[in-house]
Amino acid sequence: MKFTQTERYILSAGVLTALCSFGALAADHEAPLNKDQVEGRVEETKSKVKEVIDDKGLEVEGNVQKNLGKAQKGYGDIKQDIKEGK
């Protein structure tokens, strides 16, 4: 699959934003992020990449992946809250 220069910039910006947000999110937690929190955020980031590509199939797949990532991240957040006694 070939990307235009603009698509490469968008993808790069998305990846950098995601990496920066992991650090900010980790700083908000007293304990390190658990596996489900990290994997959920990774899935959300991968979905954003698929959504910007001009392919209807990948866009739909990205939307589904985003929702699955949100669910997994939410599950990880609940686990973290229970662990911290909130």
Side-chain angles (χ1 to χ4, degrees):
M1 178 182 305
K2 292 188 176 185
F3 298 110
T4 65
Q5 189 67 30
T6 303
E7 288 172 329
R8 285 188 204 125
Y9 288 136
I10 292 170
L11 294 174
S12 298
V15 170
L16 288 173
T17 301
L19 292 173
C20 292
S21 69
F22 287 145
L25 292 169
D28 290 343
H29 288 76
E30 293 174 8
L33 296 175
N34 63 42
K35 177 183 169 188
D36 290 303
Q37 289 171 310
V38 172
E39 287 180 2
R41 285 172 174 88
V42 168
E43 290 302 313
E44 283 185 282
T45 302
K46 289 186 333 189
S47 75
K48 289 177 185 178
V49 170
K50 290 180 181 176
E51 288 175 351
V52 299
I53 297 172
D54 192 23
D55 181 326
K56 193 65 174 171
L58 279 179
E59 185 177 337
V60 170
E61 183 181 326
N63 194 16
V64 169
Q65 190 173 22
K66 174 177 64 178
N67 291 321
L68 291 172
K70 282 183 179 184
Q72 186 173 12
K73 179 182 74 172
Y75 173 70
D77 291 344
I78 290 169
K79 281 177 39 178
Q80 187 75 21
D81 289 344
I82 291 170
K83 185 178 180 179
E84 293 175 359
K86 291 183 180 178

